[in-house]
Coordinates of all heavy atoms in Angstrom, one line a residue:
V813 N 103.4 113.8 86.8 CA 104.8 114.0 86.7 C 105.2 115.3 86.0 O 104.7 115.6 84.9 CB 105.5 112.8 85.9 CG1 107.0 113.0 85.8 CG2 105.2 111.5 86.6
L814 N 106.1 116.1 86.7 CA 106.6 117.3 86.1 C 108.1 116.9 85.7 O 108.9 116.6 86.5 CB 106.7 118.4 87.2 CG 105.3 118.8 87.7 CD1 105.5 119.7 89.0 CD2 104.5 119.6 86.7
V815 N 108.3 116.9 84.4 CA 109.6 116.5 83.9 C 110.2 117.5 83.0 O 109.5 118.2 82.2 CB 109.4 115.1 83.1 CG1 108.5 115.3 81.9 CG2 110.8 114.6 82.7
T816 N 111.5 117.7 83.1 CA 112.2 118.6 82.2 C 112.4 118.1 80.8 O 112.4 116.9 80.6 CB 113.6 119.0 82.8 OG1 114.4 117.7 83.0 CG2 113.5 119.6 84.2
E817 N 112.5 119.0 79.8 CA 112.5 118.6 78.4 C 113.6 117.6 78.1 O 113.4 116.6 77.4 CB 112.7 119.9 77.6 CG 112.6 119.6 76.1 CD 111.1 119.3 75.7 OE1 110.2 120.1 76.0 OE2 110.9 118.3 75.0
N818 N 114.8 117.8 78.8 CA 115.9 116.9 78.5 C 115.8 115.5 79.1 O 116.6 114.6 78.8 CB 117.3 117.5 79.0 CG 117.3 117.8 80.4 OD1 116.3 117.7 81.1 ND2 118.5 118.1 81.0
A819 N 114.8 115.3 79.9 CA 114.5 113.9 80.5 C 113.3 113.3 80.0 O 113.1 112.1 80.2 CB 114.5 114.1 82.0
K820 N 112.4 114.1 79.3 CA 111.0 113.6 79.0 C 111.0 112.3 78.1 O 110.4 111.3 78.5 CB 110.2 114.7 78.4 CG 108.8 114.3 78.1 CD 108.0 115.4 77.4 CE 108.3 115.4 75.9 NZ 107.4 116.2 75.2
D821 N 111.7 112.4 77.0 CA 111.5 111.3 76.0 C 112.1 110.0 76.6 O 111.4 108.9 76.5 CB 112.3 111.6 74.7 CG 111.6 112.7 73.9 OD1 110.5 113.0 74.2 OD2 112.3 113.3 73.1
A822 N 113.2 110.0 77.3 CA 113.8 108.8 77.9 C 112.9 108.3 79.0 O 112.7 107.1 79.2 CB 115.2 109.1 78.5
L823 N 112.3 109.2 79.8 CA 111.4 108.8 80.9 C 110.1 108.1 80.3 O 109.7 107.0 80.8 CB 111.0 110.0 81.7 CG 110.0 109.7 82.9 CD1 110.7 108.8 83.9 CD2 109.5 110.9 83.5
I824 N 109.5 108.7 79.3 CA 108.3 108.1 78.7 C 108.6 106.7 78.2 O 107.9 105.7 78.4 CB 107.7 109.0 77.6 CG1 107.1 110.3 78.3 CG2 106.7 108.3 76.8 CD1 106.7 111.3 77.3
K825 N 109.7 106.6 77.4 CA 110.1 105.3 76.9 C 110.3 104.2 78.0 O 109.8 103.1 77.9 CB 111.4 105.5 76.1 CG 111.9 104.2 75.4 CD 113.2 104.5 74.5 CE 113.7 103.3 73.8 NZ 114.4 102.4 74.7
S826 N 111.0 104.6 79.1 CA 111.2 103.7 80.2 C 110.0 103.4 80.9 O 109.8 102.2 81.4 CB 112.3 104.3 81.1 OG 112.8 103.3 82.0
L827 N 109.1 104.3 81.1 CA 107.8 104.0 81.8 C 107.0 103.0 81.0 O 106.4 102.0 81.6 CB 107.0 105.3 81.9 CG 107.3 106.2 83.1 CD1 106.6 107.6 82.9 CD2 106.9 105.6 84.4
I828 N 106.9 103.1 79.7 CA 106.2 102.2 78.8 C 106.8 100.8 79.0 O 106.2 99.8 79.1 CB 106.2 102.6 77.4 CG1 105.3 103.9 77.2 CG2 105.7 101.5 76.5 CD1 105.4 104.6 75.9
E829 N 108.2 100.7 79.0 CA 108.9 99.4 79.2 C 108.5 98.8 80.5 O 108.4 97.6 80.6 CB 110.4 99.7 79.0 CG 110.9 100.0 77.6 CD 112.3 100.4 77.6 OE1 112.9 100.5 78.6 OE2 112.8 100.6 76.4
Q830 N 108.5 99.6 81.6 CA 108.2 99.1 82.9 C 106.7 98.6 83.0 O 106.5 97.5 83.5 CB 108.3 100.2 83.9 CG 109.8 100.7 84.1 CD 110.7 99.6 84.6 OE1 110.3 98.6 85.2 NE2 112.0 99.6 84.2
F831 N 105.8 99.3 82.4 CA 104.4 98.8 82.4 C 104.3 97.4 81.7 O 103.6 96.5 82.2 CB 103.5 99.8 81.7 CG 103.2 101.0 82.5 CD1 103.1 102.3 81.8 CD2 102.9 101.0 83.8 CE1 102.8 103.4 82.5 CE2 102.7 102.2 84.6 CZ 102.6 103.4 83.9
D832 N 105.0 97.3 80.6 CA 105.0 96.1 79.8 C 105.7 94.9 80.6 O 105.2 93.8 80.6 CB 105.7 96.2 78.4 CG 104.8 97.0 77.4 OD1 103.6 97.0 77.6 OD2 105.3 97.5 76.4
T833 N 106.8 95.3 81.3 CA 107.5 94.3 82.0 C 106.7 93.8 83.2 O 106.7 92.6 83.5 CB 108.9 94.9 82.5 OG1 109.6 95.3 81.4 CG2 109.7 93.8 83.3
F834 N 106.1 94.7 83.9 CA 105.3 94.4 85.1 C 104.2 93.3 84.8 O 104.0 92.4 85.6 CB 104.6 95.6 85.7 CG 105.5 96.5 86.5 CD1 104.9 97.7 87.0 CD2 106.8 96.3 86.7 CE1 105.7 98.6 87.7 CE2 107.6 97.2 87.4 CZ 107.1 98.3 87.9
F835 N 103.5 93.5 83.7 CA 102.4 92.7 83.4 C 102.4 91.9 82.1 O 101.4 91.5 81.5 CB 101.1 93.6 83.4 CG 101.0 94.4 84.6 CD1 101.1 95.8 84.5 CD2 100.7 93.9 85.9 CE1 101.0 96.6 85.7 CE2 100.6 94.6 87.0 CZ 100.8 96.0 86.9
Q836 N 103.7 91.6 81.6 CA 103.9 90.9 80.4 C 103.0 91.5 79.3 O 102.4 90.7 78.5 CB 103.6 89.4 80.5 CG 104.7 88.7 81.4 CD 104.4 88.9 82.9 OE1 103.3 88.7 83.4 NE2 105.5 89.2 83.6
S837 N 102.9 92.8 79.2 CA 102.1 93.5 78.2 C 100.6 93.3 78.3 O 99.9 93.7 77.4 CB 102.6 93.2 76.8 OG 104.0 93.5 76.7
S838 N 100.1 92.6 79.4 CA 98.7 92.3 79.5 C 98.2 92.4 80.9 O 98.0 91.4 81.6 CB 98.4 90.9 78.9 OG 97.0 90.7 79.0
P839 N 98.0 93.7 81.4 CA 97.6 93.8 82.8 C 96.2 93.2 83.1 O 95.9 92.7 84.2 CB 97.5 95.4 83.0 CG 98.3 95.9 81.9 CD 98.3 95.0 80.8
E840 N 95.4 93.1 82.0 CA 94.0 92.6 82.2 C 94.0 91.1 82.5 O 93.1 90.7 83.3 CB 93.2 92.8 80.9 CG 91.7 92.6 81.1 CD 90.8 93.1 80.0 OE1 91.4 93.5 78.9 OE2 89.6 93.1 80.1
S841 N 94.9 90.4 82.1 CA 95.0 89.0 82.4 C 96.0 88.6 83.5 O 96.2 87.5 83.8 CB 95.4 88.2 81.1 OG 96.6 88.6 80.6
S842 N 96.6 89.7 84.1 CA 97.6 89.5 85.1 C 96.9 89.3 86.5 O 95.9 89.9 86.8 CB 98.5 90.7 85.2 OG 99.4 90.6 86.3
D843 N 97.5 88.4 87.3 CA 97.1 88.2 88.7 C 97.6 89.2 89.6 O 97.4 89.2 90.8 CB 97.5 86.8 89.2 CG 96.7 85.7 88.5 OD1 95.5 86.0 88.1 OD2 97.2 84.6 88.4
S844 N 98.5 90.1 89.1 CA 99.2 91.1 89.9 C 98.6 92.5 89.8 O 99.3 93.5 90.2 CB 100.7 91.1 89.6 OG 101.2 89.8 89.8
Y845 N 97.4 92.6 89.2 CA 96.9 94.0 89.0 C 95.5 94.1 89.5 O 94.6 93.3 89.1 CB 97.0 94.3 87.5 CG 96.6 95.7 87.1 CD1 97.4 96.8 87.6 CD2 95.5 96.0 86.3 CE1 97.1 98.1 87.3 CE2 95.2 97.3 86.0 CZ 96.0 98.4 86.4 OH 95.7 99.7 86.1
A846 N 95.2 95.0 90.4 CA 93.9 95.1 91.1 C 92.9 95.8 90.1 O 93.3 96.3 89.1 CB 94.0 95.9 92.3
R847 N 91.7 95.8 90.5 CA 90.6 96.4 89.7 C 90.1 97.7 90.4 O 90.4 97.9 91.6 CB 89.4 95.5 89.6 CG 89.8 94.2 88.8 CD 90.2 94.6 87.4 NE 90.4 93.4 86.5 CZ 91.6 92.9 86.2 NH1 92.7 93.5 86.7 NH2 91.8 91.9 85.4
I848 N 89.4 98.5 89.7 CA 88.8 99.7 90.2 C 87.7 99.3 91.1 O 87.0 98.3 90.8 CB 88.3 100.7 89.1 CG1 89.4 101.0 88.1 CG2 87.7 101.9 89.7 CD1 90.7 101.6 88.8
I849 N 87.5 100.0 92.2 CA 86.6 99.5 93.3 C 85.2 99.3 92.9 O 84.5 98.4 93.3 CB 86.7 100.4 94.6 CG1 85.9 99.9 95.7 CG2 86.3 101.8 94.2 CD1 86.4 98.5 96.2

């Protein structure tokens, strides 16, 4: 991701929130997350 300075902090905060939301903070125990081949 190439992000401008005025958008970086908000984007990082929101990305972390999305990762946590997708997998209830635990991708390893989620049935919705694939493994490396």
